[in-house]
Amino acid sequence: MMLEPIQPSAIVDTVLTRDRRVLVVGAPGVGKSTLVTGLAQTLYANNRQCWCISADPGSPVFGVPGVVALGGWQTDHWHVTAMEALCTLDAGRFRLPLVSAVRRLLSKSLDGVVLIDGPGVTRGIVGRELLEGLLEATEADAILVVTPDVS
């Protein structure tokens, strides 16, 4: 049985009917950043404000490698408004600095939907500790788990 990919508009219509913080997690390369960008485009088309924390220092959706960045969606791209340097691309080894950087960026006053594009660290003790830390730091209202297409 082949499952159809869920479209960003369906997520906005069901999960994002109100402003909330959403943690997006999944393995590397499964489409987390693509989904986050699609959600931002859909929210913008519906006149809703959207922020994102790009929390993967090795493969950021925006900003520069080695940082955790905060951006707001503007028309057709992310506009970076703040960054926290990690000076590393390894989210797994430097979990505490990453989680602390996310917490500091979220301390800013952000109206609208806030998406947290998590790093692609999902396995083992490292993945568990990182997920627990990000859940605590973000106080996420929802978690979207992106999985690979297995068709």
Side-chain angles (χ1 to χ4, degrees):
M1 181 170 100
M2 193 160 108
L3 296 174
E4 293 294 319
I6 297 175
Q7 298 300 313
S9 59
I11 295 171
V12 168
D13 291 345
T14 57
V15 178
L16 299 176
T17 56
R18 63 180 174 86
D19 293 346
R20 54 184 3 169
R21 289 182 180 181
V22 179
L23 178 59
V24 181
V25 297
V30 295
K32 296 180 300 292
S33 298
T34 301
L35 175 61
V36 164
T37 299
L39 291 171
Q41 291 169 333
T42 303
L43 289 164
Y44 182 82
N46 288 298
N47 296 314
R48 296 192 47 210
Q49 192 166 13
C50 183
W51 296 91
C52 180
I53 296 202
S54 180
D56 189 346
S59 183
V61 66
F62 56 84
V64 296
V67 305
V68 174
L70 170 66
W73 187 260
Q74 293 185 346
T75 310
D76 63 353
H77 67 281
W78 292 108
H79 173 74
V80 178
T81 59
M83 291 188 289
E84 292 277 337
L86 294 181
C87 301
T88 182
L89 303 180
D90 190 342
R93 286 189 63 207
F94 297 93
R95 297 182 293 282
L96 183 57
L98 186 143
V99 169
S100 296
V102 168
R103 183 177 285 119
R104 283 190 299 274
L105 290 173
L106 283 171
S107 69
K108 300 178 182 313
S109 179
L110 304 173
D111 293 328
V113 172
V114 180
L115 305 169
I116 300 94
D117 186 14
V121 180
T122 59
R123 300 179 66 131
I125 190 76
V126 172
R128 191 190 90 208
E129 287 179 352
L130 189 53
L131 179 59
E132 287 175 358
L134 287 172
L135 282 171
E136 181 182 320
T138 63
E139 299 178 354
D141 301 301
I143 302 170
L144 294 177
V145 179
V146 182
T147 59
D149 180 8
V150 293
S151 57

